[in-house]
Short mmCIF file of all heavy atoms in Angstrom, two decimals:
data_model
loop_
_atom_site.label_atom_id
_atom_site.label_comp_id
_atom_site.label_asym_id
_atom_site.label_seq_id
_atom_site.Cartn_x
_atom_site.Cartn_y
_atom_site.Cartn_z
N PHE A 165 -41.84 50.43 25.79
CA PHE A 165 -41.17 50.84 27.03
C PHE A 165 -40.44 52.17 26.79
O PHE A 165 -39.85 52.40 25.73
CB PHE A 165 -40.14 49.79 27.47
CG PHE A 165 -40.75 48.48 27.89
CD1 PHE A 165 -41.05 47.51 26.95
CD2 PHE A 165 -41.06 48.24 29.22
CE1 PHE A 165 -41.62 46.30 27.33
CE2 PHE A 165 -41.63 47.04 29.60
CZ PHE A 165 -41.91 46.06 28.65
N LYS A 166 -40.51 53.02 27.83
CA LYS A 166 -39.81 54.30 27.80
C LYS A 166 -39.18 54.51 29.16
O LYS A 166 -39.87 54.48 30.18
CB LYS A 166 -40.80 55.43 27.48
CG LYS A 166 -40.20 56.82 27.50
CD LYS A 166 -41.30 57.85 27.25
CE LYS A 166 -40.80 59.24 27.44
NZ LYS A 166 -41.89 60.25 27.34
N ASN A 167 -37.84 54.67 29.16
CA ASN A 167 -37.10 54.74 30.43
C ASN A 167 -37.37 53.50 31.28
O ASN A 167 -37.55 53.58 32.51
CB ASN A 167 -37.46 56.00 31.23
CG ASN A 167 -36.70 57.21 30.74
OD1 ASN A 167 -35.65 57.09 30.11
ND2 ASN A 167 -37.22 58.39 31.00
N ASP A 168 -37.42 52.34 30.61
CA ASP A 168 -37.64 51.05 31.26
C ASP A 168 -39.01 50.94 31.94
O ASP A 168 -39.23 50.05 32.76
CB ASP A 168 -36.54 50.76 32.30
CG ASP A 168 -35.17 50.65 31.66
OD1 ASP A 168 -35.11 50.18 30.51
OD2 ASP A 168 -34.18 51.04 32.30
N LYS A 169 -39.92 51.84 31.60
CA LYS A 169 -41.27 51.81 32.14
C LYS A 169 -42.24 51.53 31.00
O LYS A 169 -42.24 52.22 29.99
CB LYS A 169 -41.60 53.13 32.82
CG LYS A 169 -42.98 53.15 33.48
CD LYS A 169 -43.23 54.48 34.16
CE LYS A 169 -44.59 54.51 34.82
NZ LYS A 169 -44.86 55.82 35.48
N GLU A 170 -43.08 50.51 31.21
CA GLU A 170 -43.98 50.11 30.13
C GLU A 170 -45.09 51.14 29.95
O GLU A 170 -45.65 51.68 30.90
CB GLU A 170 -44.58 48.74 30.43
CG GLU A 170 -45.43 48.20 29.28
CD GLU A 170 -45.92 46.78 29.51
OE1 GLU A 170 -45.59 46.21 30.58
OE2 GLU A 170 -46.60 46.24 28.63
N ILE A 171 -45.40 51.40 28.66
CA ILE A 171 -46.48 52.31 28.30
C ILE A 171 -47.67 51.46 27.85
O ILE A 171 -47.56 50.65 26.92
CB ILE A 171 -46.04 53.25 27.17
CG1 ILE A 171 -44.79 54.03 27.59
CG2 ILE A 171 -47.16 54.21 26.81
CD1 ILE A 171 -44.20 54.87 26.47
N LYS A 172 -48.78 51.65 28.50
CA LYS A 172 -49.95 50.80 28.26
C LYS A 172 -50.89 51.36 27.20
O LYS A 172 -51.53 50.62 26.47
CB LYS A 172 -50.71 50.61 29.58
CG LYS A 172 -49.94 49.87 30.67
CD LYS A 172 -49.75 48.41 30.31
CE LYS A 172 -49.16 47.64 31.47
NZ LYS A 172 -48.99 46.19 31.15
N ASP A 173 -51.00 52.68 27.13
CA ASP A 173 -52.00 53.29 26.25
C ASP A 173 -51.48 53.34 24.82
O ASP A 173 -50.95 54.35 24.35
CB ASP A 173 -52.35 54.69 26.76
CG ASP A 173 -53.51 55.30 26.01
OD1 ASP A 173 -54.22 54.55 25.30
OD2 ASP A 173 -53.71 56.53 26.10
N VAL A 174 -51.61 52.21 24.09
CA VAL A 174 -51.13 52.12 22.70
C VAL A 174 -52.23 51.48 21.84
O VAL A 174 -53.17 50.86 22.34
CB VAL A 174 -49.83 51.28 22.62
CG1 VAL A 174 -48.70 51.97 23.36
CG2 VAL A 174 -50.06 49.87 23.16
N LYS A 175 -52.07 51.64 20.54
CA LYS A 175 -52.98 51.04 19.57
C LYS A 175 -52.35 49.77 19.01
O LYS A 175 -51.15 49.73 18.72
CB LYS A 175 -53.27 52.03 18.44
CG LYS A 175 -53.92 53.33 18.91
CD LYS A 175 -54.08 54.30 17.76
CE LYS A 175 -54.67 55.62 18.22
NZ LYS A 175 -54.77 56.60 17.10
N TYR A 176 -53.20 48.71 18.80
CA TYR A 176 -52.70 47.41 18.35
C TYR A 176 -53.48 46.97 17.11
O TYR A 176 -54.73 47.08 17.08
CB TYR A 176 -52.86 46.38 19.47
CG TYR A 176 -52.32 45.01 19.17
CD1 TYR A 176 -50.97 44.72 19.32
CD2 TYR A 176 -53.17 43.99 18.74
CE1 TYR A 176 -50.47 43.46 19.05
CE2 TYR A 176 -52.68 42.72 18.45
CZ TYR A 176 -51.34 42.47 18.61
OH TYR A 176 -50.84 41.22 18.35
N LEU A 177 -52.76 46.48 16.09
CA LEU A 177 -53.40 46.06 14.85
C LEU A 177 -52.78 44.75 14.39
O LEU A 177 -51.56 44.61 14.31
CB LEU A 177 -53.22 47.14 13.77
CG LEU A 177 -53.82 46.83 12.39
CD1 LEU A 177 -55.34 46.70 12.50
CD2 LEU A 177 -53.45 47.93 11.39
N LYS A 178 -53.64 43.75 14.02
CA LYS A 178 -53.19 42.44 13.53
C LYS A 178 -53.78 42.19 12.15
O LYS A 178 -54.99 42.32 11.95
CB LYS A 178 -53.61 41.35 14.51
CG LYS A 178 -53.22 39.95 14.09
CD LYS A 178 -53.64 38.93 15.12
CE LYS A 178 -55.14 38.77 15.17
NZ LYS A 178 -55.56 37.66 16.06
N GLU A 179 -52.90 41.80 11.21
CA GLU A 179 -53.33 41.52 9.85
C GLU A 179 -52.78 40.17 9.40
O GLU A 179 -51.61 39.85 9.69
CB GLU A 179 -52.84 42.62 8.88
CG GLU A 179 -53.43 43.99 9.17
CD GLU A 179 -52.85 45.06 8.26
OE1 GLU A 179 -51.73 44.83 7.74
OE2 GLU A 179 -53.48 46.10 8.07
N GLU A 180 -53.58 39.41 8.65
CA GLU A 180 -53.14 38.12 8.15
C GLU A 180 -52.30 38.31 6.89
O GLU A 180 -52.63 39.13 6.02
CB GLU A 180 -54.35 37.24 7.83
CG GLU A 180 -54.01 35.78 7.59
CD GLU A 180 -55.26 34.93 7.39
OE1 GLU A 180 -56.07 35.29 6.50
OE2 GLU A 180 -55.43 33.94 8.13
N ASP A 181 -51.19 37.56 6.83
CA ASP A 181 -50.32 37.67 5.66
C ASP A 181 -50.95 36.98 4.46
O ASP A 181 -51.97 36.28 4.56
CB ASP A 181 -48.95 37.04 5.97
CG ASP A 181 -48.19 37.84 7.02
OD1 ASP A 181 -48.48 39.04 7.17
OD2 ASP A 181 -47.33 37.25 7.71
N ALA A 182 -50.30 37.19 3.31
CA ALA A 182 -50.83 36.64 2.05
C ALA A 182 -50.85 35.12 2.07
O ALA A 182 -51.71 34.51 1.40
CB ALA A 182 -50.00 37.15 0.87
N ASN A 183 -49.96 34.44 2.78
CA ASN A 183 -49.94 32.98 2.83
C ASN A 183 -51.05 32.42 3.71
O ASN A 183 -51.20 31.20 3.81
CB ASN A 183 -48.59 32.47 3.32
CG ASN A 183 -48.25 32.99 4.71
OD1 ASN A 183 -49.10 33.49 5.45
ND2 ASN A 183 -46.97 32.88 5.06
N ARG A 184 -51.75 33.31 4.37
CA ARG A 184 -52.89 32.96 5.20
C ARG A 184 -52.51 32.04 6.36
O ARG A 184 -53.34 31.34 6.94
CB ARG A 184 -54.01 32.32 4.37
CG ARG A 184 -54.45 33.15 3.18
CD ARG A 184 -55.67 32.55 2.51
NE ARG A 184 -56.84 32.65 3.38
CZ ARG A 184 -57.61 33.74 3.48
NH1 ARG A 184 -57.30 34.84 2.79
NH2 ARG A 184 -58.67 33.74 4.28
N LYS A 185 -51.24 32.05 6.68
CA LYS A 185 -50.75 31.26 7.81
C LYS A 185 -50.13 32.15 8.88
O LYS A 185 -50.25 31.86 10.07
CB LYS A 185 -49.71 30.24 7.33
CG LYS A 185 -50.28 29.15 6.45
CD LYS A 185 -49.21 28.18 6.04
CE LYS A 185 -49.77 27.04 5.17
NZ LYS A 185 -50.71 26.17 5.92
N THR A 186 -49.42 33.20 8.49
CA THR A 186 -48.74 34.08 9.44
C THR A 186 -49.45 35.42 9.50
O THR A 186 -50.35 35.72 8.71
CB THR A 186 -47.26 34.29 9.02
OG1 THR A 186 -47.22 34.83 7.69
CG2 THR A 186 -46.51 32.96 9.04
N PHE A 187 -48.94 36.26 10.45
CA PHE A 187 -49.59 37.54 10.69
C PHE A 187 -48.55 38.67 10.71
O PHE A 187 -47.39 38.46 11.07
CB PHE A 187 -50.34 37.52 12.03
CG PHE A 187 -51.47 36.53 12.07
CD1 PHE A 187 -51.26 35.23 12.47
CD2 PHE A 187 -52.74 36.93 11.69
CE1 PHE A 187 -52.30 34.33 12.51
CE2 PHE A 187 -53.79 36.02 11.73
CZ PHE A 187 -53.56 34.72 12.14
#
Side-chain angles (χ1 to χ4, degrees):
F165 293 86
K166 177 183 172 186
N167 279 338
D168 297 327
K169 183 179 180 181
E170 185 174 1
I171 303 173
K172 296 290 188 179
D173 187 15
V174 296
K175 299 176 183 178
Y176 183 82
L177 179 63
K178 179 178 70 173
E179 296 176 337
E180 192 175 54
D181 293 336
N183 60 16
R184 306 187 68 83
K185 292 181 179 294
T186 58
F187 296 89

